[in-house]
Each structure stands twice: as structure tokens, then as C-alpha cells.
Amino acid sequence: MEKWFRLKHHPMLPEGENGMPATCSKKHAELSREVAEEGLVLLKNNNNILPLKKGTRVALFGRAGVQYLKGGWGSGNVRVDYVYNLTDSLLEKQEEGFLSLYDPVRKHYAERVERYPGFLDWEELIPGPDKEYEVEISNDLVAQAATECDVAILFFSRASGENSDRFTEPGDGDFYLSPNEEKLVKAVTEKFEHSIVILNTCSLMDMTWCADNDKIEGILQAWNGGAYGALAIGDLLCGKICPSGKLTDTIAYTYDDYPSSESYNLDADEAEYWEDIFVGYRYFETIPGAAEKVAYPFGFGLSYTNFTSTYEAEEKDGIIIVKATVKNIGDMSGKEVIQVYATAPKGEIDKPAVELRGYAKTKLLAPEEECILTITFKVDEMASYDEARAAYVLESGDYIITAGNNIRNREQVLIYNLHETRITQQLTNYCKPHKLSKRLTSNGEYIACETEENPPKPDISEWSKNKPKNLVENSNYLVAAGFYRDPYWKENFADLLGHDIRTDMRTQGSYEGRYILKQVANGEVSMEDFMAQLSLTDLITLVGGTFAAGCAAKCSGVGNLPYFDIPAAQCADGPAGLRIQDYPTTAFPSSTMQACTWNLDLITRVGEAGAKEVKEHNLAVWLAPSMNIHRNPKCGRNFEYYSEDPLVSGRSAVAFVNGCQSLGIATSIKHLCCNNKELNRYEMDSILSERALREIYLKGFEIAVKEANPWTIMTCYNRVNGWFLTENRDVLTGIIREEWGYDGLIISDWGCRGEPFLEMLAGNNVHMPFSNPDHLCHALQEGYITREDLERNVRYLLEFLIKLP
Ligand code: BGC
């Protein structure tokens, strides 16, 4: 097919099997269900309550049994035609003869709540203390059910999404149970001998009411499982599948147990990351007294079968190699995850007690079957960042390598001794905090953090007051769309732009007398010669996004200068499947659930499947995966993110990006970085040490960039250490371009508040969805930026477009 044919002609060519569409295909539905099956995490299974014995009589309590939540709102939302709920799933199991579902309780909920439609607006979902979603049920009905059933299932759901954080006040029906939910738990556990809790939740919840409650024998963390997630739950309950998901977060008992809870919401304008590098298990496994706050440790998840693992490990040429022989010694087929951790020696640099360094999942092992997993990582990956030396340093001493199936169940497999301390990477100090009142150390004490004042920013308040007259109401929008706008430029910036004003953006049907971008792609014309013919107005047009007329996702894109045959590459969300407002697509389980599979092949297949749907809609960039760190359960977007651990985030993103980009669809790893809070997300400042920034919040992105080369990166709304990240030259140019060698396109998040000319200097190449041409012209006029600055940014865009098929 001719280059950019899809982008230009929107042919709607099917990408599925036998000439059929891939979007919403059976194959994608099956994949979505498979991810849900492997991402379910069985947390508790006392007395082997699960799988349910054949013929069990079940009562399903909670309105969520009707209103299953497939995902959250915002970028992670996907329109579908139908979402299976748990009632559907249990009725299916009834038909298959596995169990019977108690009808009076089913009817009670069916008569009082409506099944959710395939697409929900966030207003309908947002929980909180002023809302009570749970439906009341009489004690008599519960008592009657208890006499006629064997097992009660308590099913609760939670959703969250962009632009708001979760509630974390007792009784709020969000992080905590609502009053009606509490009543329900009490009534059911008093009457039933056997109860199971299933959590259809975006992120973590309070566990004080269920983890150690003997009356609750089973707990299944079921996340938001996409359109088929509820069917996967039914399969797991009946033992049709064997649970193999493991937590990618530590679940503490309650909200205050998480180390970041103290500082998370002190101030709407900023968040100081006092816990420093001690995020998630790095806190719970290191800090004195923290271990007992854990209800379920990182990497944990039960199975219906049992495995033994034996290990052989060695160091060879700077690589640690761990070979695990895993054998299924139970009586059901299942999969196991092996996790390899390292404990670095104590030295001058403070360190967490243990860090994940690699992992792998077995294939489905039949009883008595075994397989060998090989997990490798570089010795240098065990280095710590030392701010004083601006370097990653590997300190001398014994590195204890351990392996197991969760962080609390490990055995030593190797001691690697390093004789001499060495620097593994000499870097430069970047992005130091301008203030940070304290930082946590491994002995549980806080110390002061070195700070550095930010350089002053140019004062542009005068121009902002004297905005140039706009010829049309919404000129930015028109300019950004690459429309003809000669009079606009002439009237406002004639002196500055002079002959550099393009008189007509249209091609008039011929490209005579000028180069077109395809000639650069073919190697006929150099990029320099091509760029030399672009006017200032062309450059200004290209550093803003472009309108999405006629595009399925209505999300805007980049590029679009017909005069030089520069195509528009349109974008669409998001991490749980292609999000198109008006059309159904395949809804996959949330990113957290994808990561909880610990199955990278499966995530690669999600990347491929989504890419096919993106392609069918003639879009070019899939605004996924989202990969911020789970700093705190309050963050409204945690479900869009993978883990508290940067290695899991990075590896999951690599798998997703590789799958997607293998089909010529660009990914946009987002939101770089420290977008860990939604309250005041457009303005708030994440304040943290350089070490925490590098080792925790940037590390996953670094892994994704170095191992999968995503064609675009999306920056975040928030500030980091005082600067909007989009204006942060230290991070964008210093770290990402110069240290990591990233050569793809950096775009902003939609409608970010950064100042476009500062973004040009910092290296945020395109301001989405549209830029601010007035400000860019002013900045040129005042000498804050030059044509070269614009060219530098546009070049990344053009090189990106050339990569597209
Ligand atoms: C979100 C991004 C998303 C973009 C485009 C923003 O509000 O933060 O994740 O990709 O909108 O929809």
C-alpha cells in the first residue's frame, strides 16, 4: 500500500481473519477474557472454599452482581455493546450444571438496579460519602437465603477515573465500605457459614473488614476486568480455570498504612514525596514496623494447585542467570509465576531491603508436568543512584539473589560478591527539588533533602495582557488545523514574519517547485533541505496538534500540512482498548489487571489486538500504555497504571509497545511523569528527590524507551519540582534525549497548561491538542526562541511521521 494511504484516504480496511473486521471480533473477545482469567488474584482461600464443589447453591449479594464495572472513566473508558455481569456468568454456570444461583436474591437486585450500559459517563459512576449505591436487603431474605444456600458471594465494585481522586474517608463507599455495604457484610456473615468476597474494583480498598475475618473464607481481587471479566470470575469460582494472577501492589490493611497517605492531600497545589524511594514493597519490606501493616504482600496470589520450584543460578559476563525448574505437584493444571529479587549490600548509599529484578510465568502445566524458566538481568541493574556523585553506583559487597512466588516466599539462589565499588553510569544532576521538607530513610527516620532554587522564568505577563486581535473567534484552533490563515498572520505579526508567511496552505493539486515529505522518506531529499523551505508559520503550525475532522476517535492528531504533503496522524486513547466515543471496540481489562497476569506474551497480544482496531479506524497513534507508578490508592487513575514497581511497569509497557508497534501503529507511553494524583492535576506540583524521580518514577519509562522505543511519549499535566514537566528541560532534554538517547516524538497531554515557547526550549515537541501561535510569535519577537528552536522540535515530528507506514 502506498505510504500514508490509510492516513490520507481513510479506507476502513478490515484487519481481522478472513477479511473480517478485527474490531469486536470473537478472537479479541476471547483474548480479553483470557487476560481477565490470568489477572484475577485469589487472595484468600481458607478451608479450600474455592473452587466451589459441584452443585453448590450460591446466593449473590450486592448490586454489583447486576452492575459489573468493566473499567473506569476518561481515557481508560471503552464503548462496548454489552458488558456481562456476574449474574450472567453464574447463570451460565448454572446451565452448565456447576452450581445453582439462588433466585429470590437474584430477583431482589434485578428488580432494583439496572444493568450498566456499554458506555458510562463518569458522573454516573463517581462514588463518595453523599451517594449510597448499595441496595438494602432485608435480614429475613438474607436469613432465608442462608437456609437454602451453601455459600454467599459478596460482590462489591468501584470505579474511578481522570480528573478526580478517590474518597478515603470511612464510610465513603469508595476506599472504605459504605454503610449499606457494612450492613450487608454483617448480615451475610452472621447468617451464612461460608462467605466469599469478590472485589470488582479499580484499585485497592480497605481490608480491615475482610482479610482477617474468619467468617469470610475467600477473597478474590477481580479488578475492572473489561467486557468479559465477569465471565472469567464464574470460570474461576467453578474451577474451570486455575487462578494464576499475582499482585503488582502491596495491599496494606487500611489507608493510613500506605507511606504516602500522610502527604498525599495536604495541599491541593503540591505533593511532597516524603516517602522518597520507599514506595510500595520498598517501604513495607524495609522500614521497621511496616511489615505488619501488610494484608497481602507484593507478588502474592493463590492457586488451586501446588508447585515446587528448584533453582540454579550463576553470574556470567555481568549477567545474573536464574534457572527455575517449576513442577506442578497438585491435581489441577495451572500456571506459576517466578519472581527474582536482589538485596544489595549495605554501604554508603541507603537502600531498600529488597528489589524485584526479573520474573517469568510458566505455560499451563498439567499435574506432574514441569518446565524450566530462565530469568536474567544485568549485574549493573542492581546499582543505586547516588545524588552526590550524579551516578548509578554499584557498591562492593554481597548481593543476595532470591527467588520465589511472592516477595514473602523466597529462597536464596545466589550470592554475588562484588570486590570493588564501581560507577555503572556517570550522569548529570537534573531536576533537583526546589523544596522538600524531609525524606524517608531505611531506618524509618526522615532526613533533610538538598534543594536548589529554580531559575527564574521569562515574564510574559505583558503579552498575555495585550493579546493580538484575532480575526476569528477561535483562531488557535484554525491555525492549528493548518487552515489558510494568511490575513491573521499579516495583521498581527507582519514585521516579524515578513515573507515567511505562507500565502496558502492548500496544494492546488500540485507540489511543483517544492519538496514533499515523502521525498525525504524515500531518501531523495535531505531533511535539512526539506526543513529549509518551511516558513515560520509552517513551523508554528506543526508544533501544535491538529483537528480531528472526519476522524473516528475525535481526539486530535499531529502533523497536517497539505502544502508539503505532510500527513495528519490521528490519535486515540487508551490503555483498556481503543476508545472511540461513538463506536464499540474491544474492552480489555484494566492495565493493573493486565500487569497482574505477569504474562508478558499476553500483554503483547493485547498490544497487537488493539493496534489492529486502531488501524481499522485509520488512526496512527494509540495513546497507551499508561504507566505511572501506583504511589497511593487514592489516585483516581491507578487502574490505568500497572504497578507500584517500576520494573513491572516498564516490562508491561515494553510488551504492550512491542505488540502494538509491530503492526505499524505508534504507542504513546504516558504520562511522563509523577502524574500520581488527579486532584488539581493541571497545576499541581510533584516534589521529590532526584533519586526517587530516577529510580522510581522515571525508571519504568526508561525501561520502555530503552527496550521498546515507543514512537511517542506523552508528558503529564503536572509540574515536577516546580516546573511544568512540559517546560522541564532537565527531564526532557537532559535525561530523556541525552541520557536515554530517545529519538521519538514528545507530545504534551491534552490541554496542558505549559507555555508553548518554554516547551520548545525544553523539548516538548508538540503541544496537544493545539498550541498557542500568538505566544510563539511573541516569543520569537522578544528573542526568547529562534527559528532553530522550532526546527529542532519539528524535526522530531517529521521523523516520527516518516516512521509511519
Ligand atoms: C488524558 C490523557 C489522554 C488525553 C486524550 C487527557 O485528559 O490525561 O491520558 O490521552 O486526554 O484523550
Side-chain angles (χ1 to χ4, degrees):
M1 201 187 291
E2 193 198 333
K3 193 167 180 66
W4 301 323
F5 183 85
R6 278 189 319 103
L7 308 189
K8 289 182 184 171
H9 303 297
H10 292 219
M12 303 302 291
L13 300 173
E15 291 289 328
E17 285 170 345
N18 306 321
M20 297 295 285
T23 305
C24 295
S25 59
K26 188 161 173 271
K27 200 171 164 194
H28 287 189
E30 283 165 2
L31 175 62
S32 178
R33 183 168 175 167
E34 195 181 335
V35 176
E37 288 172 4
E38 288 206 22
L40 291 167
V41 186
L42 184 61
L43 297 177
K44 184 174 180 182
N45 197 13
N46 289 2
N47 313 317
N48 289 332
I49 178 83
L50 290 174
L52 299 172
K53 321 269 165 307
K54 203 164 181 200
T56 302
R57 296 164 304 164
V58 171
L60 174 61
F61 292 97
R63 55 101 202 150
V66 179
Q67 296 181 321
Y68 178 80
L69 277 171
K70 72 179 196 317
W73 64 80
S75 123
N77 202 351
V78 175
R79 177 179 291 275
V80 298
D81 280 334
Y82 189 82
V83 183
Y84 288 92
N85 62 25
L86 193 56
T87 308
D88 297 332
S89 175
L90 297 184
L91 288 174
E92 187 188 274
K93 294 297 153 216
Q94 180 167 278
E95 234 162 75
E96 290 170 9
F98 278 109
L99 51 75
S100 61
L101 181 64
Y102 187 60
D103 217 42
V105 173
R106 182 193 67 75
K107 275 202 189 119
H108 176 83
Y109 291 103
E111 283 161 8
R112 284 163 183 80
V113 283
E114 269 179 41
R115 167 194 295 280
Y116 280 143
F119 191 82
L120 272 171
D121 278 334
W122 67 275
E123 286 87 356
E124 297 169 60
L125 290 176
I126 205 160
D130 54 334
K131 303 206 179 136
E132 177 56 271
Y133 287 109
E134 199 44 83
V135 167
E136 300 229 27
I137 184 165
S138 71
N139 283 342
D140 289 350
L141 184 50
V142 175
Q144 184 196 331
T147 60
E148 292 180 44
C149 298
D150 309 303
V151 172
I153 298 179
L154 286 155
F155 192 56
F156 297 128
S157 70
R158 298 289 187 266
S160 63
E162 283 189 47
N163 214 10
S164 59
D165 279 327
R166 298 179 62 207
F167 292 90
T168 48
E169 303 300 324
D172 57 21
D174 196 347
F175 185 83
Y176 291 93
L177 291 182
S178 71
N180 273 351
E181 286 172 338
E182 272 175 28
K183 255 197 269 168
L184 180 61
V185 172
K186 189 165 178 286
V188 166
T189 51
E190 266 173 19
K191 296 284 182 252
F192 274 80
E193 216 171 298
H194 303 290
S195 302
I196 298 165
V197 167
I198 304 180
L199 303 172
N200 165 213
T201 55
C202 50
S203 173
L204 308 182
M205 271 186 77
D206 177 55
M207 285 284 163
T208 51
W209 58 279
C210 59
D212 297 341
N213 179 346
D214 288 340
K215 294 188 164 171
I216 294 171
E217 290 171 291
I219 304 178
L220 180 65
Q221 178 59 61
W223 310 114
N224 293 149
Y228 310 93
L231 298 180
I233 297 175
D235 285 345
L236 184 140
L237 294 177
C238 295
K240 210 170 162 188
I241 56 163
C242 182
S244 66
K246 310 272 178 191
L247 293 176
T248 57
D249 291 298
T250 309
I251 306 188
Y253 279 96
T254 195
Y255 185 67
D256 291 337
D257 293 336
Y258 294 93
S260 49
S261 297
E262 198 188 344
S263 68
Y264 191 86
N265 254 7
L266 278 184
D267 191 323
D269 296 329
E270 58 184 42
E272 291 197 19
Y273 290 29
W274 292 332
E275 72 285 358
D276 207 56
I277 55 166
F278 298 100
V279 178
Y281 70 77
R282 286 170 172 77
Y283 169 85
F284 292 108
E285 306 303 318
T286 307
I287 306 297
E292 53 266 31
K293 298 176 181 176
V294 175
Y296 299 102
F298 178 82
F300 177 80
L302 297 168
S303 171
Y304 291 158
T305 185
N306 289 308
F307 298 92
T308 53
S309 310
T310 50
Y311 303 96
E312 275 172 40
E314 60 171 338
E315 181 271 335
K316 209 174 166 202
D317 303 328
I319 310 276
I320 304 281
I321 305 163
V322 178
K323 278 199 180 126
T325 305
V326 186
K327 184 171 182 186
N328 184 349
I329 54 161
D331 48 16
M332 182 177 181
S333 297
K335 296 186 181 186
E336 177 65 306
V337 176
I338 299 298
Q339 305 157 30
V340 176
Y341 294 84
T343 296
K346 285 203 185 328
E348 280 172 26
I349 309 172
D350 196 24
K351 300 183 189 84
V354 62
E355 288 177 282
L356 182 71
R357 294 296 174 202
Y359 59 90
K361 190 169 193 171
T362 66
K363 60 180 183 155
L364 188 71
L365 293 176
E368 294 304 311
E369 194 181 355
E370 64 178 33
C371 74
I372 296 179
L373 297 175
T374 305
I375 299 162
T376 59
F377 62 94
K378 292 193 190 112
V379 167
D380 286 6
E381 286 169 30
M382 297 188 288
S384 312
Y385 185 70
D386 180 18
E387 289 165 5
R389 279 177 272 192
Y392 272 99
V393 178
L394 204 58
E395 290 194 307
S396 61
D398 285 344
Y399 286 79
I400 316 290
I401 314 300
T402 48
N405 67 356
N406 74 66
I407 203 165
R408 297 257 171 111
N409 181 30
R410 294 176 282 137
E411 62 183 86
Q412 184 176 311
V413 298
L414 182 73
I415 298 181
Y416 171 74
N417 181 268
L418 183 73
H419 302 299
E420 259 182 30
T421 295
R422 66 183 165 83
I423 288 184
T424 58
Q425 267 182 293
Q426 181 59 60
L427 304 169
T428 308
N429 281 124
Y430 282 127
C431 202
K432 282 196 176 171
H434 53 307
K435 60 180 212 177
L436 182 62
S437 41
K438 55 182 184 174
R439 66 194 294 189
L440 188 60
T441 59
S442 61
N443 61 12
E445 282 164 18
Y446 288 96
I447 54 167
C449 182
E450 207 186 302
T451 56
E452 194 174 274
E453 242 178 67
N454 281 327
K457 290 187 192 175
D459 180 12
I460 59 160
S461 49
E462 280 309 303
W463 330 330
S464 311
K465 270 190 235 144
N466 306 315
K467 274 201 158 185
K469 291 184 263 134
N470 289 335
L471 287 181
V472 282
E473 261 299 284
N474 202 352
S475 72
N476 291 345
Y477 169 86
L478 288 180
V479 171
F483 277 64
Y484 173 58
R485 72 288 191 239
D486 173 44
Y488 169 76
W489 294 117
K490 274 203 179 122
E491 182 149 326
N492 293 301
F493 297 105
D495 293 348
L496 168 73
L497 301 168
H499 70 281
D500 243 355
I501 300 178
R502 171 98 28 239
T503 50
D504 194 339
M505 299 300 294
R506 289 167 288 197
T507 64
Q508 314 290 1
S510 136
Y511 301 112
E512 219 183 300
R514 57 188 179 274
Y515 302 129
I516 56 171
L517 190 59
K518 211 178 281 174
Q519 291 175 292
V520 183
N522 292 341
E524 292 164 37
V525 171
S526 73
M527 183 60 98
E528 287 68 31
D529 288 346
F530 182 80
M531 301 264 303
Q533 52 172 3
L534 299 180
S535 70
L536 278 174
T537 53
D538 295 330
L539 294 169
I540 288 175
T541 300
L542 290 171
V543 297
T546 186
F547 183 49
C551 152
K554 298 182 188 146
C555 201
S556 301
V558 296
N560 194 12
L561 209 55
Y563 194 75
F564 297 104
D565 197 27
I566 297 177
Q570 296 292 349
C571 310
D573 286 313
L578 170 62
R579 179 173 72 100
I580 298 185
Q581 307 287 352
D582 306 327
Y583 301 105
T585 55
T586 305
F588 291 97
S590 69
S591 304
T592 306
M593 191 170 199
Q594 291 178 33
C596 283
T597 66
W598 296 65
N599 183 338
L600 298 174
D601 291 338
L602 207 47
I603 301 177
T604 298
R605 282 164 59 205
V606 172
E608 285 164 359
K612 286 187 183 162
E613 303 202 3
V614 171
K615 206 172 199 175
E616 259 173 10
H617 290 86
N618 303 306
L619 303 158
V621 188
W622 193 8
L623 303 174
S626 310
M627 51 181 305
N628 294 90
I629 290 294
H630 292 164
R631 176 176 176 241
N632 188 278
K634 198 171 171 71
C635 174
R637 290 187 91 167
N638 276 353
F639 72 104
E640 291 191 58
Y641 307 146
Y642 294 120
S643 171
E644 68 185 20
D645 178 71
L647 184 80
V648 173
S649 301
R651 289 275 160 86
S652 304
V654 167
F656 188 101
V657 170
N658 281 340
C660 179
Q661 291 190 171
S662 68
L663 291 164
I665 296 296
T667 50
S668 192
I669 57 172
K670 66 187 188 184
H671 314 84
L672 186 133
C673 59
C674 303
N675 189 172
N676 306 111
K677 173 167 154 176
E678 287 299 294
L679 180 77
N680 194 18
R681 66 173 173 163
Y682 293 100
E683 297 284 348
M684 66 83 57
D685 191 4
S686 298
I687 302 170
L688 71 171
S689 71
E690 186 193 354
R691 180 175 180 195
L693 177 67
R694 287 180 178 274
E695 283 191 13
I696 307 291
Y697 296 96
L698 280 174
K699 186 55 89 186
F701 290 97
E702 181 180 353
I703 293 170
V705 163
K706 290 183 174 168
E707 294 179 21
N709 192 22
W711 293 348
T712 84
I713 291 178
M714 189 194 294
T715 46
C716 56
Y717 290 125
N718 50 282
R719 296 163 208 260
V720 175
N721 290 342
W723 290 86
F724 281 119
L725 202 276
T726 56
E727 302 173 350
N728 194 319
R729 193 171 190 287
D730 269 17
V731 173
L732 297 183
T733 299
I735 296 180
I736 294 171
R737 295 284 185 209
E738 289 167 7
E739 290 182 1
W740 300 354
Y742 181 62
D743 63 1
L745 177 69
I746 301 182
I747 61 176
S748 77
D749 198 348
W750 269 232
C752 76
R753 306 269 163 92
E755 170 57 51
F757 85 86
L758 290 173
E759 294 177 346
M760 292 295 97
L761 294 173
N764 189 95
N765 309 130
V766 182
H767 186 105
M768 297 300 288
F770 315 120
S771 186
N772 190 328
D774 298 350
H775 277 207
L776 288 170
C777 280
H778 272 295
L780 280 161
Q781 221 157 24
E782 306 281 324
Y784 286 134
I785 53 167
T786 60
R787 179 184 165 97
E788 286 65 49
D789 294 322
L790 292 172
E791 275 190 7
R792 198 176 48 248
N793 287 281
V794 167
R795 191 182 177 121
Y796 284 113
L797 169 71
L798 299 180
E799 278 166 358
F800 159 72
L801 292 170
I802 286 173
K803 280 185 199 153
L804 297 176

